[in-house]
Amino acid sequence: MPLRRLLGFALLLLPFAAAAAEPIRVTGRVLTGERGPGLAGARVELFLAYEGYADAVRRLTEKTEPAPLAKGRTNAEGSFEILAPESGCFRVVVQAEGHLSEEIALLPLVEDTALPTTTLLKASSVEVRTVGSDGRPIPGIEVRMVTPEAWASR
């Protein structure tokens, strides 16, 4: 009798196991500014959210980047769709030439998901030189750039 119950329980779980292995759609839109047009051709890549110790050591030793599980590009309107291989914890990285990249956590991803609109800001260079009152460079100083909103919330 216990074997029959176990088999019955296993049969009940079978549809859930099959559903967990199906690809999951992740969609979104990328803009070039707060109200700017869609950004065409941006790279969209899906990575595991967490990396195991052995994988991290190997990647750092070999100086390689993790391989994306899925990747795509935005269309002319800035929209994209990628497929996660199954449910789990992931992160989506959006990159475009001349823009700051954006990373979105999917913790956990269990069903088709439409991400909020992502805005990639234009990248620009800033040269900073830290000097003392005597005009000589100050060694070892840390410089951080923050938005005015982040600064005000301190």
Side-chain angles (χ1 to χ4, degrees):
M1 191 67 151
L3 181 59
R4 236 184 189 167
R5 281 188 193 167
L6 185 60
L7 230 108
F9 185 68
L11 287 175
L12 284 173
L13 291 178
L14 194 57
F16 296 107
E22 289 188 25
I24 300 172
R25 284 180 56 217
V26 178
T27 59
R29 186 157 188 251
V30 181
L31 303 180
T32 58
E34 272 189 48
R35 294 191 183 101
L39 181 59
R43 291 185 311 279
V44 181
E45 298 176 322
L46 179 80
F47 296 93
L48 285 173
Y50 306 105
E51 193 172 35
Y53 177 77
D55 291 335
V57 169
R58 184 175 51 253
R59 186 175 56 79
L60 291 170
T61 304
E62 296 170 4
K63 296 186 171 116
T64 60
E65 294 295 321
L69 300 171
K71 58 185 173 179
R73 291 207 178 256
T74 56
N75 65 17
E77 291 80 40
S79 298
F80 67 87
E81 177 181 319
I82 54 175
L83 292 176
E86 60 187 357
S87 60
C89 294
F90 302 99
R91 59 190 172 92
V92 172
V93 177
V94 182
Q95 302 174 355
E97 189 71 34
H99 293 78
L100 300 176
S101 62
E102 185 74 26
E103 186 171 308
I104 304 128
L106 298 169
L107 305 172
L109 177 65
V110 294
E111 62 186 352
D112 290 354
T113 300
L115 297 175
T117 299
T118 301
T119 302
L120 294 188
L121 301 175
K122 290 250 185 216
S124 60
S125 3
V126 175
E127 187 174 322
V128 178
R129 184 168 179 238
T130 56
V131 295
S133 58
D134 59 358
R136 294 173 38 169
I138 303 173
I141 194 159
E142 183 177 312
V143 177
R144 292 185 184 184
M145 293 185 71
V146 296
T147 63
E149 295 82 17
W151 182 257
S153 68
R154 293 180 69 204

